[in-house]
């Protein structure tokens, strides 16, 4: 980081400094989220509710792949950054090469395993028989695409570790645009169905990887592909550094699996398709929060190190206010224009799925008001060197509270057999906003106790 950038973080006006730091992260994450939303829209409109269900039922498996990739990517980038800080570019280059090789090899192995053990995977994911054909059709392409997608994800983080944030953001944005345009061509115009969406993702990854490879054309880069002249145990150290990201992501995957399983038992694939509509907007709100969190972590770390407590407090307040306003806008849009948003993903002719989606929105909307704040408070605790308390919040909102609340409320929800002849009762989904609000109260208490009171006394 240049001295001018560091000086800006410590002394420049608060709002300008905050949003300048958040801007690049938000561009990349919003582009990625928009591509995911558009992907869902095309699948819902041109394949149907069953297509949405097929993709959603694979989310626990996809999240597992993301967790492994993030463990390698973030753990590797931390270790590479440490070597770079010491001026040891040879070790940084060797680890960079080793991480890329491990990521690519691991994704090939997992693709082969998913092909060989596909029936077991479908059983594990609780995929109902009426959705199996579409799920198999999508997975037949996307499992091989994942080799490049998640290897590219690792490459993206490692390039950022060498300070090439703009290049990484451009790669992400161009990949997202490519995905959107090819969804329109392959799914809507050429009617390739759910396979078309997988092909669009493949092309997007090729574009993203091609842009990232421009990194090697810059003579000023510090890292190169290197021979394996350094011990491989450093890869295991990097993996250890990324264990917390793996744990957090796996927790999300377990939550997806629990929600999908309960919905399949309760309302079949239609319920899963309806929930997937709402889940796209949950994903949008979380991605916006991560963009804000990227800025918050950097600004808090530097200003806390410089003992600028008032700026730390101000940046936390700005971040929380921004996240709350974004959540409030999303909530208002979903409540007032829910028919419009649901119709984007599900055709009005599919009345049952449409009805379920409207009902789910009414059950879960309160979570949008605080889920972003929970992400930020967890990141804030990490930035002030309270990793255990940060982990409590992260695990609380991603698995402990939602899973326990879901199972408990589902137990008291009338079963489909007992409810025969009536509408399916999916009220157990109120567990999701309840979990977010309980987490929020816990997060506020932890920040108050371990930061505010301490600084007040000082």
């Amino acid at each position: 980081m240049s001295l001018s950038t560091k000086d800006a973080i410590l002394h420049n006006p608060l709002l300008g400094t905050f949003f300048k730091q958040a801007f690049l992260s938000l561009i990349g994450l919003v582009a990625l989220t928009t591509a995911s939303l558009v992907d869902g829209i095309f699948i819902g409109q041109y394949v149907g509710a069953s297509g949405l269900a097929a993709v959603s039922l694979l989310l626990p498996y996809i999240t597992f792949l993301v967790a492994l990739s993030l463990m390698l990517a973030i753990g590797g980038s931390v270790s590479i950054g440490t070597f770079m800080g010491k001026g040891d570019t040879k070790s940084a280059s060797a680890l960079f090469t080793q991480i890329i090789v491990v990521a690519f090899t691991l994704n090939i192995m997992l693709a082969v395993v998913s092909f060989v053990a596909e029936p077991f995977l479908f059983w594990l994911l609780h995929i109902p028989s009426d959705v199996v054909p579409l799920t198999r059709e999508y997975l037949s392409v996307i499992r091989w695409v994942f080799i490049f997608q998640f290897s590219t994800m690792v490459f993206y983080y490692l390039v950022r570790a060498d300070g090439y944030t703009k290049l990484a953001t451009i790669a992400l944005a161009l990949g997202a645009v490519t995905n959107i345009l090819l969804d329109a061509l392959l799914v809507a115009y050429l009617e390739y169905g759910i396979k078309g969406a997988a092909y669009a993702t493949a092309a997007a990854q090729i574009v993203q990887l091609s842009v990232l490879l421009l990194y090697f054309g810059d003579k000023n880069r510090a890292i190169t592909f290197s021979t394996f002249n350094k011990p491989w145990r450093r890869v295991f150290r990097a993996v250890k550094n990324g264990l917390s990201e793996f744990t957090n992501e796996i927790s999300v995957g377990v939550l997806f699996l629990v929600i999908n399983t309960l919905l399949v038992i309760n309302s079949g694939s239609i319920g899963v398709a309806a929930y997937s509509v709402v889940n796209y907007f949950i994903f949008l709100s979380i991605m916006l929060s991560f963009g804000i969190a990227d800025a918050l972590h950097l600004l808090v770390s530097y200003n806390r190190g410089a003992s600028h407590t008032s700026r730390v407090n101000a940046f936390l307040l700005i971040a929380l206010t921004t996240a709350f306003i974004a959540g409030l806008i999303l909530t208002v849009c979903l409540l007032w224009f829910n028919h419009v948003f649901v119709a984007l993903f599900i055709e009005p002719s599919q009345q049952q799925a449409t009805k379920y989606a409207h009902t789910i929105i009414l059950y879960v909307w309160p979570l949008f008001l605080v889920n972003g704040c929970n992400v930020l408070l967890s990141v804030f605790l990490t930035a002030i060197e309270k990793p255990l308390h940060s982990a409590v919040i992260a695990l609380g909102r991603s698995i402990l509270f939602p899973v326990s609340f879901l199972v408990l409320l589902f137990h008291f929800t009338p079963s489909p057999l007992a409810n025969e002849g009536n509408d399916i009762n999916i009220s157990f989904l109120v567990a999701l906003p309840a979990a977010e609000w309980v987490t929020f109260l816990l997060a506020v208490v932890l920040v108050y106790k371990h930061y505010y009171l301490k600084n007040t006394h000082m």
Side-chain angles (χ1 to χ4, degrees), residues 247-270:
T247 303
N248 290 338
E249 199 66 28
I250 281 294
S251 299
V252 174
V254 171
L255 178 59
F256 281 145
L257 182 60
V258 171
I259 292 173
N260 286 343
T261 301
L262 295 181
L263 284 170
V264 167
I265 294 171
N266 180 272
S267 50
S269 60
I270 295 296

Side-chain angles (χ1 to χ4, degrees), residues 25 41 46 51 67-68 72 131 175 184 186 212 233 238 251 274 288 296 368 384 389-390 426 430 446:
S25 292
I41 289 171
Y46 294 95
L68 288 173
L72 286 168
V131 187
L186 299 176
L212 287 173
R233 63 176 178 271
S251 299
L288 289 173
L296 180 66
F368 291 104
I384 63 171
H389 302 92
S390 174
I426 50 178
V430 299
L446 290 176

Side-chain angles (χ1 to χ4, degrees), residues 281-301:
F281 292 100
I282 295 175
F283 178 61
L284 171 61
S285 68
I286 292 297
M287 287 298 103
L288 289 173
S289 302
F290 280 141
I292 298 169
D294 275 351
L296 180 66
H297 192 283
L298 178 68
L299 296 170
V300 167
S301 298

Side-chain angles (χ1 to χ4, degrees), residues 17-203:
T17 302
F18 177 82
F19 286 107
K20 182 179 179 180
Q21 291 298 323
F23 183 68
L24 277 178
S25 292
L26 282 170
I27 287 178
L29 291 172
V30 167
L32 183 66
T33 308
T34 302
S36 178
L37 285 170
V38 172
D39 213 38
I41 289 171
F42 279 111
I43 290 174
Q45 290 293 330
Y46 294 95
V47 181
S50 296
L52 288 175
V55 175
S56 294
L57 287 162
L58 284 173
L59 280 178
Y61 170 66
I62 295 172
T63 306
F64 170 69
L65 298 180
V66 171
L68 288 173
S69 300
L70 282 178
M71 179 175 66
L72 286 168
I74 296 178
S77 63
V78 169
S79 297
I80 288 169
T82 302
F83 285 131
M84 295 289 289
K86 295 177 180 178
D88 188 357
T89 56
K90 288 185 178 180
S91 292
S93 294
L95 182 58
F96 177 95
T97 307
Q98 290 167 336
I99 292 289
I100 292 292
V101 170
V102 169
F104 191 69
T105 304
L106 185 61
N107 281 303
I108 290 176
M109 291 171 60
L110 289 170
V112 172
V113 169
S114 74
F115 176 76
V116 174
E118 186 178 276
F120 175 74
L121 178 63
F122 285 8
W123 171 82
L124 192 64
L125 297 176
H126 213 85
I127 297 177
S129 57
D130 62 315
V131 187
V132 164
L134 271 177
T135 308
R136 181 173 289 123
E137 183 181 348
Y138 182 68
L139 188 59
S140 67
V141 177
I142 205 69
R143 65 160 54 92
W144 309 115
V145 175
F146 286 156
I147 296 173
F148 298 96
Q149 181 171 354
F150 295 119
S151 299
T152 301
M153 177 192 292
V154 174
F155 191 24
Y156 164 84
Y157 275 93
L158 298 186
V159 166
R160 286 187 56 170
D162 195 18
Y164 286 72
T165 307
K166 288 184 179 179
L167 178 66
T169 301
I170 291 170
L172 208 61
L174 289 178
V177 171
T178 302
N179 199 1
I180 292 170
L181 293 177
L182 289 181
D183 271 335
L185 175 65
L186 299 176
V187 182
Y189 184 72
L190 296 178
E191 298 182 351
Y192 282 2
I194 200 166
K195 272 190 176 180
Y199 291 136
T201 301

